[in-house]
Amino acid sequence: MTAKPTLPANDEHASREAVIATALAMNAAGINRGKSGNVSARWRDAAFDGFLITPTGVPYHRTAPEQIVAMTLAGEARGALLPSSEWRFHRDIYLARTDAQAIVHTHAPFATTLACMQRGIPPFHYMVAVAGGTDIRCAPYATFGTQELSDHAVKALAGRRACLLANHGMIAVGESLEQALALAVEVETLAEMYWRALQIGVPVPLSDTEMDVVLEKFRTYGQAGMTWSGKRKNN
Ligand SMILES: [Zn+2]
């Protein structure tokens, strides 16, 4: 898969604004409340190779583009404010995944409810394949901000674009901020449907064969310009 540039080249200010806009959109979409989540986008230019991430402790509606923290892949922060306390898993996902151009982390209510039960999302609905596989895993619990949590997250994301974090929340990875946000919304929708189904019994899972058919269709459509949310793009 060819990684597309997330954001306009050589326009760091626009990239910073896009990170803030995505954080605001995440809360407006109801998949995050307050300042609990965080957003980042890969950023590279001639002199820098890293990512731009929301700072810690500043409400998104009061965050200025200059307050978005630039971090190198070595974990060195450049800016007046401290980066989100979860910068490690953002950094490690960018290091591990060339397809990762943007990351949205939220404490979305339904996804987090399942995560608090330490349950992933099984193939109860074909759209589970939107995250790249036959299920959406739940990474084991580790304290927020730790290398241990980051290691668990990278492992749970193997072959996937989203995972839950036990007793914590979820992570969605995209080739752009728009895709990462759309995937986070989709994962929360799936988590809600799965939770609802669990109220009346045990949902009937789709077989690996059926899920493979869907995964193949998504792969094919993906090349034709389908977004992970299943909507056809105009490019
Ligand atoms: Zn968190």
Side-chain angles (χ1 to χ4, degrees):
M1 190 188 307
T2 307
K4 287 177 268 181
T6 310
L7 299 156
N10 303 319
D11 195 348
E12 186 176 342
H13 190 81
S15 302
R16 289 167 176 268
E17 287 180 333
V19 167
I20 296 167
T22 303
L24 288 168
M26 171 174 91
N27 283 22
I31 61 165
N32 197 66
R33 291 173 189 164
K35 186 63 189 71
S36 51
N38 38 70
V39 174
S40 72
R42 199 188 282 272
W43 175 252
R44 282 187 182 125
D45 63 15
F48 190 81
D49 186 8
F51 57 98
L52 302 170
I53 187 166
T54 44
T56 190
V58 185
Y60 300 133
H61 68 277
R62 287 203 203 122
T63 305
E66 299 71 37
Q67 292 176 309
I68 294 295
V69 181
M71 291 201 81
T72 66
L73 293 177
E76 179 196 337
R78 295 182 188 173
L81 300 178
L82 291 173
S84 159
S85 58
E86 299 292 15
W87 65 267
R88 279 185 182 79
F89 67 62
H90 288 258
R91 187 270 308 268
D92 291 345
I93 293 166
Y94 289 124
L95 280 172
R97 300 279 294 261
T98 55
D99 61 326
Q101 297 297 317
I103 298 167
V104 167
H105 164 58
T106 85
H107 296 182
F110 285 95
T112 304
T113 299
L114 294 177
C116 290
M117 305 301 290
Q118 303 200 346
R119 293 173 84 140
I121 304 178
F124 79 104
H125 188 290
Y126 79 89
M127 281 299 286
V128 166
V130 80
T134 56
D135 62 359
I136 298 169
R137 303 184 188 105
C138 182
Y141 181 77
T143 310
F144 75 93
T146 60
Q147 188 60 49
E148 188 185 9
L149 176 63
S150 179
D151 293 346
H152 289 329
V154 169
K155 200 170 167 195
L157 283 167
R160 305 284 188 275
R161 292 182 280 263
C163 71
L164 307 186
L165 300 175
N167 310 86
H168 183 158
M170 70 137 110
I171 298 173
V173 176
E175 290 184 355
S176 65
L177 284 163
E178 187 185 18
Q179 281 188 346
L181 179 63
L183 181 57
V185 170
E186 189 62 54
V187 171
E188 174 64 354
T189 303
L190 288 164
E192 179 175 359
M193 289 190 289
Y194 182 48
W195 180 87
R196 285 180 183 279
L198 287 171
Q199 309 311 305
I200 53 172
V202 179
V204 180
L206 293 170
S207 67
D208 284 351
T209 308
E210 289 294 354
M211 288 301 283
D212 284 346
V213 170
V214 177
L215 285 162
E216 184 54 33
K217 272 182 176 284
F218 281 6
R219 264 191 289 274
T220 312
Y221 291 161
Q223 285 163 12
M226 291 287 285
T227 68
W228 292 332
S229 62
K231 290 178 186 158
R232 190 167 286 279
K233 291 197 295 184
N234 292 323
N235 57 355

